[in-house]
Amino acid sequence: MTSPDPVDHPFEAAEASAAAVAAATGVDRHDVALVLGSGWKPAADRLGEVVAEVPMVDLGGFPAAAVQGHGSTVRSIRSGDRHVLAFMGRVHLYEGHHPNVVAHAVRTAVRAGCSVVVLTNAAGGLRPGMAPGQPVLIADHVNLTGRTPLLGPNDDRLGPRFPDMTDAYSARLRALAHEVEPDLEEAVYAGFLGPTYETPAEVRMAATLGAHLVGMSTVQETIAAVHAGAEVLAMSLVTNLAAGLGHEHLDHHDVLEVAARSADRMGALIAHIVGRI
Ligand code: HPA
């Protein structure tokens, strides 16, 4: 059976993939979605019992993830009395995917029952004092990709035409995160298209625009989640100082190495937060 194409039929594609999630995992409804960015995968191992693990390509609408450090399965995890749907990797605009393909995981999770979406990523830090290995809560974003998964006629079954982004990164969930780690900094994330790291001039521009983090993911997913009425909690792991601010040249392997070293702490943080959602 061919599944609906998320580019042209995002609602039907999400419905079909959500049904496939339920069939493949044996879990009818999930509560919390988790999308794992570069290097966050080990964090998922600390969340709870893995009830099922399914290749995303088997669910329809998902392309094979190609980036090193990104997995391509989805796990159903039992964490306390919550069912977490954990996407062990994501796809990005810079791989050439349509925004609706990038948003498909989040839309699927919402159709599968999730009312909370936890997004994680690796990012460059540009606020003075930020250091590699530091987790940061995203409080707001600047979408510099020039793309959105809401382009085109609105499908009211997915959400409203003009979603309010005032509280896109839920203040309630950020407060919960602060109960777990009171010292977590909050920051504004500037989402770039990539796949180059930013130029130093672009980093200065991002700072001028009020951003504290730069990265290549998350904003499309946040938009889709807000559109769908889900609450979003998003966290960056600062893996490097943004271009021009450190002495190092930027390398994806260094990004993954920093992420791997912080995995335990990130996993504990996510597990605590999920337990309180
Ligand atoms: N820029 C963009 N994306 C990133 C960075 C960065 O400095 N570090 C990790 N992901």
Side-chain angles (χ1 to χ4, degrees), residues 97-121:
H97 297 302
H98 189 282
N100 280 348
V101 173
V102 176
H104 181 60
V106 163
R107 286 176 170 154
T108 294
V110 171
R111 302 315 307 169
C114 298
S115 55
V116 168
V117 175
V118 180
L119 303 171
T120 64
N121 62 46

Side-chain angles (χ1 to χ4, degrees), residues 217-232:
S217 67
T218 305
V219 296
Q220 308 296 318
E221 292 146 327
T222 296
I223 291 168
V226 170
H227 186 226
E231 280 185 293
V232 175

Side-chain angles (χ1 to χ4, degrees), residues 38 121-125 189-190 192 194-198 203 213-217 237-243 250-252 255:
S38 284
N121 62 46
Y189 177 93
F192 283 82
T196 56
Y197 291 107
E198 300 70 31
V203 170
L213 297 164
V214 288
M216 309 174 196
S217 67
L237 177 65
V238 175
T239 51
N240 54 277
L241 297 181
L250 299 181
D251 182 322
H252 188 58
V255 167

Side-chain angles (χ1 to χ4, degrees), residues 26-71:
V27 178
D28 279 348
R29 275 187 77 79
H30 286 82
D31 307 299
V32 177
L34 173 62
V35 178
L36 295 156
S38 284
W40 283 77
K41 198 170 174 177
D45 296 334
R46 278 93 172 153
L47 268 187
E49 182 206 346
V50 178
V51 176
E53 181 156 13
V54 188
M56 281 187 222
V57 283
D58 291 357
L59 301 173
F62 292 95
V67 179
Q68 192 184 353
H70 286 82

